[in-house]
Amino acid sequence: MGLKRKDLLSLAPLSVDEIQLILETADSFKEVTGREIKKVPALRGRTVVNLFFEPSTRTRTSFELAAKRLSADVINFSPSSSSVVKGETLLDTARNIEAMQADIIVLRHPSAGAAEALAVGVKSSVINAGDGWHEHPTQALLDLYTIRERGLPFEGLRVAIVGDVAHSRVARSNIHALAKLGAEIRLVGPPTMLPRGVEKLGARVYYNLDEALRGVQVIMMLRLQLERQGIALFPTIREYARLYGLTAERVKLADPGAIVMHPGPINRGVEIAPEVADSLSSVILDQVANGVAVRMGILYLMSGAN
Amino acid sequence: MAIHIAGGHVIDPGRFNGVADVLIDEGRIVAVGPDLTTPIGGTKIDATGRLVLPGFVDLHVHFREPGFEYKESIQSGAAAAVAGGFTSVCCMPNTNPVNDNQAITKFMLDRARAAGLANVFPIGAITKGSEGEELAEIGDLRRAGCVAISDDGKPVMNSLVMRRAMEYALAFDVPVVDHCEDLHLAEGGCMNEGAISTELGLPGMPAAAEDVMVARNVALAELTGARLHLAHISTEGSVRMVREAKSRGLHVTAEACPHHFTITEETVRGYNTYAKMNPPLRTWKDVQAIKDGLSDGTIDVIATDHAPHASQEKQLGFTEAPFGIVGLETALPLTFALVDEGVLSLESAVDKLSTAPSKAFGLAKGTLAVGADADVVIVDQQEQWEVDPTMFRSKSRNTPFAGWKVKGRVRTTIVGGRVVFEAAQAEP
């Protein structure tokens, strides 16, 4: 069974079966990443282009490593914002990449909808590695993988997503996937960070972190964009940390076996206390490790190599 | 040369509604009545089964000249206008340079004369460069031929500047037109704010960004006694406030655009840049409120906000693509759809496209009275056609209505007694 899609742009349209297939495929690649020789020939002769219009170290590196471990040829194309000709249309970008005979394009773009626009314009498979505030499907899939790895069933799973949901593509992708899988989603943050109508995606909204954490099994922290202090989403980092920072005390409000997640990079002492980030309940580094295996699975499924 | 339009259903809003002939000579309407005879040497147009209407008047177009002729020129814009039944258009001043002085106004009028299609009425800027700081020479602009003032696209944020503009405009009896948008509230937004913008991850512009400026402008109109015209209102709140302002006898008129009473923010899904305009497409509730406002007379005028952009601009990502769609060549069927829906009578639809806009800006247009300028449009109300942007006279193709099956088509457009547009024969 394969993934009957040309592209992976968003988790909103994926079925539960498709999500499960991706997670199961990642299992076998997780095993590969544990070997001494961490390489399989699955994508030999295929070309993966990492097209990153936004600076990103970890996502790009994770995709690059995943593609290389599958023996694909990898090209990193990261037009810095200054060198991108202002106003080059997405269609032109698409045609250029297509001319390079790329099998798979991994796109990171500051504009929501960019991956969708690219996918329409090219025959290559497009994987969305983050488009504006819209979605970051592979991050959510690696989050799901990490939750599943801890033996937590999705049905009825109580998950708190904490922070700037309004500007978070990670949050949107996770909300879509977790809602489909039957989880109970609690979104927590100041009202300025919880966008209008977000409940319609299948989540409950909380303004009080202590209340929201009660009994949850997964605490998913979002990175605070410190520069948003200036545009009035929150008065000071100090007050934000006091109201919405995850401390060891607060973790105790959650289920005793609760795990703490963060897509990184973390702001220690702001949204997450150092002792929480380094605690046994933290799975932050498992997320990073699983990211490679999950992306291997996705690249493998998208390539149609199976 | 005389033109005899015979046997059509003539609608001159508020004056006449029935089958009659219309006789035109020397650029004017010379007679409206039954069984007129074609003068020797004159042309007879058989309008049996068709509507004969005063040419439409669009208070809100962007013809992009000078400065952005690759999007539209006055010539191509005027060609689009007459193809859509508009015999008069009012051009917003957000050209480059901005129409904030009489030299630009005169240039636009010269270009319009050279095109020789529609009547072009420039709208002057409220402030120099539309920067919102110092008043433009409104007296000069008026004398040069501007029929209204507006900083459309760059709304006047400073309320004191707006107050002074309204006061100053009183001296010239010129309407002040505002695009109502609080730029701080709407900052960075590219669609209506709500559940859909949240799902798509697009920055939203709340309805409140429009509403607070409508409220401000109404308050300033009350303070100054100015003639206020509200451009393209799109929210339930705006309709409510205009209704209330009118009930108190303020000199407020308002316009709505066909896209705002036809489609909603749902059209944005798929990051469709042809559904990106400002004000943005709103919700069904807002669409219903606009229709109610048109129906009960709160909204006087239907205007297009014809905003051409080149294909390469609309092919940018949704957040980067410019706001705006073309509208001149689709306004008639979209408006007539409201007649079929029972929102407007046929006569009031014609009124909102022709007579009411003329009154709002004090133009001697929008009537078929004897002696009036012979600006006439002949329409087949029943003809069905499919919107094909490649057939547009406009230089630009940015419309969300491509492929729509619509009803009601312009057959002949006459400006100043001259036939300036004739549609190709309908396929049998």
Side-chain angles (χ1 to χ4, degrees), chain A residues 87-91 109 111-113 116 131 133-134 172 176 195-198 200-201, chain B residues 193-195 197-203 206-207 270-271 312 315-320:
Chain A
E88 184 185 24
T89 69
L90 285 163
L91 198 62
H109 198 282
S111 183
E116 234 174 283
D131 62 328
W133 309 339
H134 176 224
R172 277 181 186 73
H176 283 306
R196 294 173 69 198
V198 75
K200 290 190 181 154
L201 301 180
Chain B
E193 182 179 319
S197 67
T198 291
E199 186 183 333
L200 296 178
L202 289 171
Y271 301 92
Q312 70 269 22
Q315 280 168 8
L316 293 169
F318 194 88
T319 47
E320 295 89 34

Side-chain angles (χ1 to χ4, degrees), chain A residues 21-235:
Chain A
L21 172 67
I22 293 169
L23 301 182
E24 282 157 23
T25 309
D27 277 335
S28 44
F29 291 110
K30 179 79 192 252
E31 185 268 317
V32 171
T33 61
R35 294 181 198 163
E36 195 173 342
I37 307 293
K38 302 177 181 59
K39 200 156 184 161
V40 291
L43 261 66
R44 197 166 58 196
R46 312 248 178 173
T47 305
V48 175
V49 176
N50 283 329
L51 179 59
F52 276 60
F53 287 90
E54 251 183 10
S56 151
T57 310
R58 63 189 60 211
T59 302
R60 191 186 54 71
T61 309
S62 181
F63 267 108
E64 186 173 353
L65 210 50
K68 284 182 168 164
R69 286 180 177 172
L70 292 167
S71 306
D73 295 315
V74 186
I75 292 163
N76 289 312
F77 184 43
S78 304
S80 71
S81 44
S82 60
S83 73
V84 181
V85 184
K86 195 167 183 263
E88 184 185 24
T89 69
L90 285 163
L91 198 62
D92 284 328
T93 309
R95 285 173 180 158
N96 274 281
I97 299 298
E98 180 142 68
M100 293 184 216
Q101 314 280 323
D103 295 290
I104 298 177
I105 300 170
V106 178
L107 179 73
R108 160 70 60 93
H109 198 282
S111 183
E116 234 174 283
L118 185 73
V120 172
V122 296
K123 291 188 206 76
S124 324
S125 288
V126 175
I127 297 175
N128 182 6
D131 62 328
W133 309 339
H134 176 224
E135 282 220 39
H136 192 351
T138 63
Q139 174 70 43
L141 287 164
L142 73 88
D143 291 341
L144 296 178
Y145 188 88
T146 306
I147 293 168
R148 175 172 163 277
E149 190 178 50
R150 285 295 172 120
L152 295 168
F154 293 118
E155 184 66 45
L157 184 74
R158 291 181 299 279
V159 183
I161 302 177
V162 186
D164 187 359
V165 174
H167 300 96
S168 175
R169 51 194 172 212
V170 175
R172 277 181 186 73
S173 285
N174 268 302
I175 294 167
H176 283 306
L178 287 166
K180 267 181 228 295
L181 293 165
E184 177 199 323
I185 307 162
R186 305 176 183 180
L187 305 176
V188 201
T192 47
M193 294 183 176
L194 299 170
R196 294 173 69 198
V198 75
E199 323 78 51
K200 290 190 181 154
L201 301 180
R204 274 191 68 184
V205 162
Y206 292 75
Y207 303 142
N208 182 298
L209 180 57
D210 291 357
E211 189 193 328
L213 288 180
R214 237 158 250 143
V216 297
Q217 297 152 282
V218 175
I219 306 169
M220 203 176 268
M221 302 305 294
L222 300 174
R223 176 178 163 77
L224 183 71
Q225 306 276 286
L226 300 180
E227 63 275 17
R228 296 202 190 280
Q229 184 181 226
I231 55 171
L233 290 186
F234 58 101

